[in-house]
């Protein structure tokens, strides 16, 4: 193996007490991402090194691992300035004009202080090339980290940032086929939360295509995790009962209260600590503050709404960046879009909700629904036998 990647950790370096746990989880996540690749991973408190055959290819994969601040394609040479100079001249892009040297002396036993080393190496580069020095706005920043060896690099690729997925336990994402909830899932993963997905399916009112679309979205966000599963809730009976027993204007509010109830019980069952969804303040009738309050009233579990304060266009930007957008806009109906009343209530009255709900035995329906949730753990295949 001839190439080397050096990883700089993300925010985790600020969490001193947990650093070891964070680095271990990050290592597992990187190993999962690089499964099947020929690599040797070593690490210490501040850096991880990956020896590999094709650094560019590995770097691309690593850009989807949260908890990485930056990915550096580095060159490891013996710790003497002639060798460092030789490597520097080799990797500095000849199409560029100006440079500066930044030295980090990690091993303080190294005799020359960083600034002095940078000056000395800079002088040697000047003498041996046509590059000019520009300390304020250089075309190339030539970095040297002096450790057991000298690590020389000129390119640094931004990592995905955030915390390693898993350091925060699990959240249950209510995943629809829309634009917002996959983005909410991505943002939650980014904060180090393991995400499991819950999809409310209402066949035959919703189609197999709609479900496959959700699985496809889960697969895309799974690229940042590797551990995402989709839990499919058979929601037909509940929706039909709501349709039959509740007035039009309250159908969506009550349906969402039922979704929250089911989500909370199921989250407890699978050990998820929070609920996550793609609600955004004011976007639709069920997302006015009055609606959110009335719907949220059925649960004591924290509900995280990562896109609550983003504009639709901002959400779309992220969806495009993470490549869920194209799938999200496919035109399959969702259980929220069938049975949609013309004028859903935007200021629901809690007492009315309770009265309407008590007109049918929803608790039995909830229990039955939860007992019949099906888990899809292999997201590779899009088509599968009819689940319900
Ligand atoms: P999205 O674009 O994510 O579908 P939306 O703006 O269409 O969101 P709603 O349909 O009101 O909004 O849904 C709000 C949130 O409720 C969704 O972001 C999602 O988290 C959850 N949700 C809606 N429908 C479903 C479903 N069928 N299964 C699971 N969660 C759902
Ligand atoms: Mg939706």
């Amino acid at each position: 193996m001839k190439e080397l990647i050096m990883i700089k950790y993300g925010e985790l370096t600020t969490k001193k007490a947990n650093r070891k746990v964070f680095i271990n989880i990050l290592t597992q996540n990187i190993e999962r991402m690089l499964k099947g690749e020929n690599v040797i991973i070593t690490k210490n408190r501040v850096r991880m090194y990956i020896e590999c055959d094709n650094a560019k290819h590995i770097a691309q994969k690593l850009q989807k691992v949260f908890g990485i601040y930056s990915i550096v394609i580095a060159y490891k040479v013996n710790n003497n300035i002639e060798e460092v100079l030789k490597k520097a001249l080799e990797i500095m892009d000849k199409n560029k004009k100006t440079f500066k040297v930044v030295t980090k002396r990690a091993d303080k036993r190294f005799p020359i202080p960083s600034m002095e080393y940078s000056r000395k190496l800079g002088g040697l580069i000047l003498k041996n090339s046509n590059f000019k020095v520009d300390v304020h706005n250089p075309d190339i920043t030539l970095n040297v980290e002096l450790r057991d060896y000298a690590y020389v690099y000129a390119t640094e690729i931004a990592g995905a940032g955030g915390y390693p997925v898993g350091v925060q336990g699990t959240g249950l994402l209510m995943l629809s086929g829309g634009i917002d909830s996959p983005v909410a899932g991505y943002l939650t993963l980014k904060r180090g939360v393991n995400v499991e997905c819950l999809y409310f399916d209402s066949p035959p009112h919703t189609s197999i295509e709609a479900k496959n679309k959700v699985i496809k979205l889960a697969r895309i966000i799974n690229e940042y995790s590797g551990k995402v599963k989709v839990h499919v809730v058979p929601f037909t009976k509940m929706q039909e009962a709501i349709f039959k027993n509740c007035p039009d204007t309250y159908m969506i509010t009550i349906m969402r209260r039922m979704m929250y109830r089911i989500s909370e019980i199921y989250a407890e069952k699978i050990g998820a600590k929070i609920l996550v969804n793609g609600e955004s303040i004011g976007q639709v009738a069920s997302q006015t503050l009055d609606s959110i309050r009335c719907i949220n009233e059925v649960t004591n579990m924290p509900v995280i709404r990562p896109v609550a304060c983003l504009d639709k266009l901002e959400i779309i930007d992220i969806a495009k960046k993470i490549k869920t957008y194209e799938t999200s806009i496919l035109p399959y109906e969702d259980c929220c879009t069938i049975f949609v009343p013309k004028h859903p209530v935007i200021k629901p009255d809690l007492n009315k909700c309770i009265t309407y709900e008590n007109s049918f035995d929803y608790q039995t329906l909830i229990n039955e629904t939860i007992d019949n949730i099906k888990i899809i753990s292999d997201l590779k295949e899009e088509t599968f036998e009819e689940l319900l």
Side-chain angles (χ1 to χ4, degrees):
M1 277 180 276
K2 51 191 188 316
E3 302 198 357
L4 178 72
I5 282 182
M6 187 169 79
I7 286 174
K8 299 186 184 179
Y9 304 138
E11 275 183 56
L12 60 94
T13 44
T14 57
K15 302 261 189 267
K16 286 219 162 59
N18 291 326
R19 181 181 295 204
K20 216 171 163 182
V21 177
F22 281 33
I23 294 173
N24 284 342
I25 293 180
L26 179 63
T27 310
Q28 286 165 16
N29 294 351
I30 288 176
E31 283 168 353
R32 191 177 322 108
M33 182 62 88
L34 299 182
K35 205 168 161 202
E37 302 282 355
N38 185 23
V39 293
I40 297 172
I41 302 177
T42 48
K43 58 176 187 272
N44 60 38
R45 290 172 59 256
V46 285
R47 296 282 185 263
M48 189 179 298
Y49 300 97
I50 303 179
E51 291 173 61
C52 58
D53 296 320
N54 182 346
K56 273 202 179 125
H57 165 71
I58 299 293
Q60 233 166 25
K61 287 195 161 183
L62 292 175
Q63 278 182 291
K64 290 202 167 156
V65 179
F66 290 125
I68 295 179
Y69 170 74
S70 73
I71 303 158
V72 166
I73 298 181
Y75 300 86
K76 178 173 156 182
V77 295
N78 278 330
N79 213 336
N80 66 63
I81 202 155
E82 290 76 27
E83 293 235 11
V84 173
L85 171 67
K86 198 170 143 222
K87 188 48 83 178
L89 293 174
E90 201 180 302
I91 63 172
M92 286 168 72
D93 183 348
K94 305 289 176 295
N95 297 316
K96 297 190 172 162
K97 290 194 173 66
T98 59
F99 78 102
K100 79 168 174 185
V101 177
V102 174
T103 306
K104 204 177 158 101
R105 191 174 50 129
D107 187 344
K108 298 296 177 215
R109 286 169 306 180
F110 193 78
I112 312 173
S114 304
M115 292 291 273
E116 197 181 322
Y117 190 93
S118 294
R119 261 199 306 274
K120 206 166 160 191
L121 181 61
L124 287 171
I125 294 173
L126 271 178
K127 217 190 274 174
N128 289 281
S129 72
N130 295 320
F131 292 111
K132 300 269 172 294
V133 172
D134 180 347
V135 287
H136 300 297
N137 196 15
D139 299 330
I140 304 170
T141 303
L142 193 275
N143 295 274
V144 185
E145 292 196 6
L146 299 168
R147 300 177 188 278
D148 48 343
Y149 287 86
Y151 296 87
V152 188
Y153 62 92
T155 11
E156 188 158 358
I157 306 159
Y163 294 129
V165 172
V167 294
Q168 288 285 352
T170 300
L172 184 60
L173 168 70
M174 300 161 77
L175 181 64
S176 69
I179 295 169
D180 307 327
S181 47
V183 170
Y186 161 83
L187 292 172
T188 307
L189 284 165
K190 185 171 183 182
R191 298 315 294 165
V193 178
N194 234 338
V195 165
E196 296 272 352
C197 304
L198 194 65
Y199 169 59
F200 291 83
D201 190 27
S202 291
H205 313 296
T206 58
S207 62
I208 184 98
E209 284 84 4
K211 182 164 61 184
N212 280 341
K213 177 179 159 183
V214 171
I215 292 166
K216 197 166 172 189
L217 290 169
R219 190 188 314 142
I220 298 172
I221 61 171
N222 191 38
E223 288 174 23
Y224 297 87
S225 157
K227 292 203 279 189
V228 170
K229 293 191 209 79
V230 178
H231 306 255
V232 181
V233 183
F235 203 46
T236 313
K237 275 193 188 166
M238 176 63 87
Q239 270 203 301
E240 287 173 354
I242 297 169
F243 186 64
K244 207 170 109 199
N245 296 292
C246 308
D248 267 22
T249 48
Y250 270 76
M251 261 167 26
I252 295 277
T253 315
I254 292 174
M255 183 190 78
R256 298 197 62 77
R257 283 166 58 90
M258 295 303 171
M259 282 179 157
Y260 271 52
R261 288 184 171 109
I262 291 169
S263 302
E264 180 187 46
I265 299 171
Y266 194 67
E268 293 286 1
K269 195 168 157 179
I270 65 167
K273 296 176 186 169
I274 54 162
L275 299 180
V276 182
N277 67 38
E279 288 172 341
S280 179
I281 298 171
Q283 202 185 76
V284 287
S286 60
Q287 293 165 26
T288 61
L289 287 192
D290 289 305
S291 287
I292 289 178
R293 228 176 117 88
C294 178
I295 292 163
N296 207 136
E297 189 266 343
V298 299
T299 179
N300 286 319
M301 193 171 262
V303 181
I304 304 291
R305 301 172 176 86
V307 302
C309 298
L310 298 186
D311 289 352
K312 192 74 189 188
L313 288 177
E314 293 171 318
I315 302 172
I316 288 175
D317 274 351
I318 303 176
K320 284 184 174 162
K321 189 182 94 182
I322 64 172
K323 302 201 163 56
T324 51
Y325 182 72
E326 293 303 320
T327 305
S328 290
I329 57 174
L330 294 174
Y332 306 118
E333 68 301 318
D334 180 71
C335 72
C336 288
T337 52
I338 53 170
F339 307 122
V340 174
K342 274 215 179 63
H343 301 289
V345 62
I346 53 172
K347 247 181 187 290
D349 178 312
L350 181 58
N351 290 325
K352 282 188 184 165
C353 284
I354 294 169
T355 310
Y356 302 143
E357 287 171 355
N358 286 337
S359 71
F360 66 106
D361 180 9
Y362 69 82
Q363 198 53 58
T364 305
L365 268 178
I366 286 180
N367 296 341
E368 192 185 313
T369 305
I370 289 172
D371 284 345
N372 289 300
I373 290 177
K374 297 278 189 307
I375 306 173
I376 301 170
S377 9
D378 183 7
L379 299 176
K380 284 195 191 77
E381 286 301 314
E382 217 165 304
T383 43
F384 35 81
E385 80 286 8
E386 191 48 77
L387 288 162
L388 299 160

